[in-house]
Amino acid sequence: MQLINFSLKKNNKFIINENNIKCINQENKIIFKINNDKYIYNNKMLTKETTNEIIKLDFNNNLCNIFLKEYNNNLVIKLELINIEKTNKFIEIKYKVETEIEDINIIRLEYI
């Protein structure tokens, strides 16, 4: 089992900042949990699954898909990819969401 640090910032304020998270890393697919929410990062896609919803950030197609389980309904929002930086130590993705014109989001997944 490998350890990672994971963070999500919105306008330089942490929304999520978790360190030393146990993860499974198989063929560039990283699976981990934060507060019982399951995350999967694979090929420029980040999926978060909770008991109520599945949020999929697809940076290949610049789309955010939100599936509300209770209502069996989908919402699709456009993303604007600003930058993806990937090294053997981390992956950092900067993006904007169509509904948040001024906000810049940064996802950082760092291997320990």
Side-chain angles (χ1 to χ4, degrees), residues 50-64:
T50 70
T51 54
N52 300 320
E53 63 190 10
I54 300 172
I55 301 171
K56 194 174 286 189
L57 300 174
D58 179 351
F59 297 105
N60 294 305
N61 297 304
N62 294 331
L63 294 174
C64 173

Side-chain angles (χ1 to χ4, degrees), residues 2 4 23-32 39-47 60 86-91 93 109 111:
Q2 186 174 355
I4 60 168
C23 75
I24 298 170
N25 189 348
Q26 298 174 333
E27 301 172 16
N28 294 325
K29 183 177 186 179
I30 302 165
I31 303 167
F32 58 98
Y39 291 80
I40 300 171
Y41 180 81
N42 187 22
N43 190 28
K44 297 182 186 176
M45 289 180 59
L46 179 68
T47 304
N60 294 305
K86 184 176 180 180
T87 70
N88 60 350
K89 299 212 180 242
F90 69 88
I91 299 164
I93 303 168
L109 197 150
Y111 305 105

Side-chain angles (χ1 to χ4, degrees), residues 86-102:
K86 184 176 180 180
T87 70
N88 60 350
K89 299 212 180 242
F90 69 88
I91 299 164
E92 186 172 274
I93 303 168
K94 293 182 184 179
Y95 66 98
K96 290 184 180 183
V97 177
E98 177 182 48
T99 56
E100 302 171 347
I101 295 169
E102 299 298 319

Side-chain angles (χ1 to χ4, degrees), residues 47-84:
T47 304
K48 174 185 177 183
E49 184 169 355
T50 70
T51 54
N52 300 320
E53 63 190 10
I54 300 172
I55 301 171
K56 194 174 286 189
L57 300 174
D58 179 351
F59 297 105
N60 294 305
N61 297 304
N62 294 331
L63 294 174
C64 173
N65 188 339
I66 303 169
F67 177 70
L68 303 174
K69 294 177 181 179
E70 179 181 353
Y71 301 105
N72 195 27
N73 202 352
N74 253 353
L75 172 66
V76 178
I77 302 170
K78 291 181 183 178
L79 299 176
E80 178 187 338
L81 179 62
I82 297 172
N83 185 41
I84 293 181

